[in-house]
Amino acid sequence: MQTADSLRERTYSTDEAAKELGLSKSTLLRWFREGRISDVKRDRNNWRIFSAADIERIRKVL
């Protein structure tokens, strides 16, 4: 039987997403500001949270 934690999708911080993509955090944030990539979901503190699907979507832009 799966627990609620095992059903929750892994999320990544901006730093973690940038590392997964082989980019610097500042480059990733600049691409958001410039509109090169669409924004991702945000948590209750308004911090970006990336899913694995978000990272793959951004990887295709590279």
Side-chain angles (χ1 to χ4, degrees):
M1 188 169 129
Q2 294 182 329
T3 64
D5 287 336
S6 67
L7 293 174
R8 192 174 306 149
E9 183 179 358
R10 164 86 161 93
T11 59
Y12 300 83
S13 68
T14 303
D15 280 330
E16 293 169 330
K19 286 177 186 171
E20 286 286 322
L21 293 163
L23 302 170
S24 70
K25 179 181 175 180
S26 61
T27 297
L28 185 56
L29 293 174
R30 187 179 73 241
W31 287 3
F32 282 122
R33 283 193 311 272
E34 292 174 351
R36 290 182 62 178
I37 51 179
S38 56
D39 211 356
V40 297
K41 290 183 181 177
R42 292 179 180 254
D43 67 9
R44 68 175 183 256
N45 296 317
N46 207 30
W47 291 9
R48 287 180 177 91
I49 51 172
F50 295 79
S51 67
D54 291 324
I55 293 172
E56 287 306 310
R57 177 179 53 83
I58 295 167
R59 186 171 279 135
K60 290 178 183 178
V61 174
L62 301 176

